[in-house]
Amino acid sequence: VNGRQKAEQLARRMTQDLKRLALVAQNISNSVVITDLQRRITWVNPAFERITGYSAAEVMGRSPALLQSELTDQQTIALMRETLDKGETFTGAVQNRNKQGDDYLLALEIQPMHADDGTATGYMAIQSDITERLRSQSRLETALRENDALLSTLDLLGLVSTADSEGHILDVNEAFCETSGYTREEVIGRNPRFLRSGKTSAKTYSDLWSTLSEGQVWRGEFHNLRKDGSELLESATISPNRQPDGQITHYVAVKADITEQRHNETELTEYRTSLERLVRER
């Protein structure tokens, strides 16, 4: 009697566990496919239907190969079959085509399934659609290449820095480092305000952000400090970078060191004033 009760309790727990697993499989965003040993589909979850465009009724009893296209890498498929034939788990990525004719890329893991006695019963595949993630990665890589090309071109013009929408420095060129005395590692992630000397007027900064927030290019001058504490006068042009939806993603600042030029202008003005005074005194 005790043995039967324990068996019944175990069966109830297993039934509850299976119900929970079935509920998870029904609701996760990953596609789940179960096939028999001949790799004929016996069950799919709603995520499979959403990703592939096929209903469960349309694929039941068919091979998952129906999703393959001429773009599917056959070497990957061969490796998949070889791995599964050995009773091992396959992990990889496969390009498929949905019912609407759109190609998509799946990251998948296929595991052999076994009965309690160890007999192979079929396979279970858990799949993730990584198409959009790869597209985003490609767009990011393109943007970074374009940014590198822009910085390389602007390097010839002066001190160049890029900052995110919050004003934190993303990158600077070598001229920026040489002039300011700071290394790239010392400035990345910081706000350019750490360069302030306190001599630039508050109106300059208010005009700057007012202009940039409107998506316009701002031009002006800053009175900053180098790392060694010496003054650094800069003529700056700062441009906001807008996405098609109008969102500003980052700023590009191109500056020129006009410290020596301004000193020369000051000395020339003082010299001219002195000459004029001498002429009047005679």
Side-chain angles (χ1 to χ4, degrees), residues 33-40 42 84 110-115 119-125:
V33 184
I34 296 178
T35 69
D36 58 21
L37 285 175
Q38 287 69 45
R39 294 163 195 167
R40 294 186 296 256
T42 59
L84 296 178
I110 307 177
Q111 302 177 349
M113 299 174 62
H114 301 88
T119 305
T121 59
Y123 305 94
M124 179 175 66

Side-chain angles (χ1 to χ4, degrees), residues 195-197 205 222-226 230-232 234:
L195 297 167
R196 292 181 181 179
S197 66
Y205 294 117
F222 296 119
H223 195 139
N224 287 333
L225 293 177
R226 294 181 173 88
S230 60
E231 65 177 6
L232 173 60
E234 297 175 307

Side-chain angles (χ1 to χ4, degrees), residues 204-239:
T204 297
Y205 294 117
S206 63
D207 289 345
L208 162 66
W209 288 111
S210 175
T211 301
L212 293 180
S213 64
E214 295 176 356
Q216 305 298 316
V217 176
W218 179 86
R219 295 178 178 83
E221 295 182 1
F222 296 119
H223 195 139
N224 287 333
L225 293 177
R226 294 181 173 88
K227 185 178 181 179
D228 62 8
S230 60
E231 65 177 6
L232 173 60
L233 299 175
E234 297 175 307
S235 173
T237 299
I238 304 178
S239 306

Side-chain angles (χ1 to χ4, degrees), residues 9 11 15 57-58 64 74 102 104 138 145 157 171 182 187 195 226-227 238 247 252 257 269:
Q9 290 174 354
T15 300
E58 290 177 300
Q74 293 305 311
D102 299 319
Y104 61 97
S138 177
R145 286 195 298 270
L157 302 178
D171 200 4
Y182 290 94
V187 301
L195 297 167
R226 294 181 173 88
K227 185 178 181 179
I238 304 178
Q247 180 182 4
V252 178
D257 179 1
T269 300

Side-chain angles (χ1 to χ4, degrees), residues 89-196:
T89 298
F90 172 81
T91 302
V94 174
Q95 182 156 320
N96 282 342
R97 181 167 292 167
N98 64 22
K99 186 177 181 180
Q100 292 74 34
D102 299 319
D103 293 316
Y104 61 97
L105 192 65
L106 283 177
L108 72 163
E109 179 179 293
I110 307 177
Q111 302 177 349
M113 299 174 62
H114 301 88
D116 292 339
D117 61 2
T119 305
T121 59
Y123 305 94
M124 179 175 66
I126 301 176
Q127 308 166 334
S128 301
D129 185 352
I130 59 173
T131 310
E132 186 55 39
R133 188 178 78 191
L134 291 181
R135 286 175 180 166
S136 298
Q137 181 178 336
S138 177
R139 288 195 292 267
L140 177 59
E141 290 173 351
T142 299
L144 289 174
R145 286 195 298 270
E146 292 175 348
N147 187 59
D148 288 343
L150 175 63
L151 286 176
S152 297
T153 301
L154 294 177
D155 273 344
L156 304 175
L157 302 178
L159 289 64
V160 182
S161 62
T162 57
D164 62 21
S165 58
E166 301 298 324
H168 300 108
I169 296 174
L170 297 172
D171 200 4
V172 295
N173 68 346
E174 190 60 33
F176 180 102
C177 297
E178 291 177 356
T179 301
S180 69
Y182 290 94
T183 65
R184 181 175 280 102
E185 291 73 22
E186 289 177 310
V187 301
I188 299 299
R190 300 180 68 178
N191 189 292
R193 66 170 62 95
F194 78 92
L195 297 167
R196 292 181 181 179

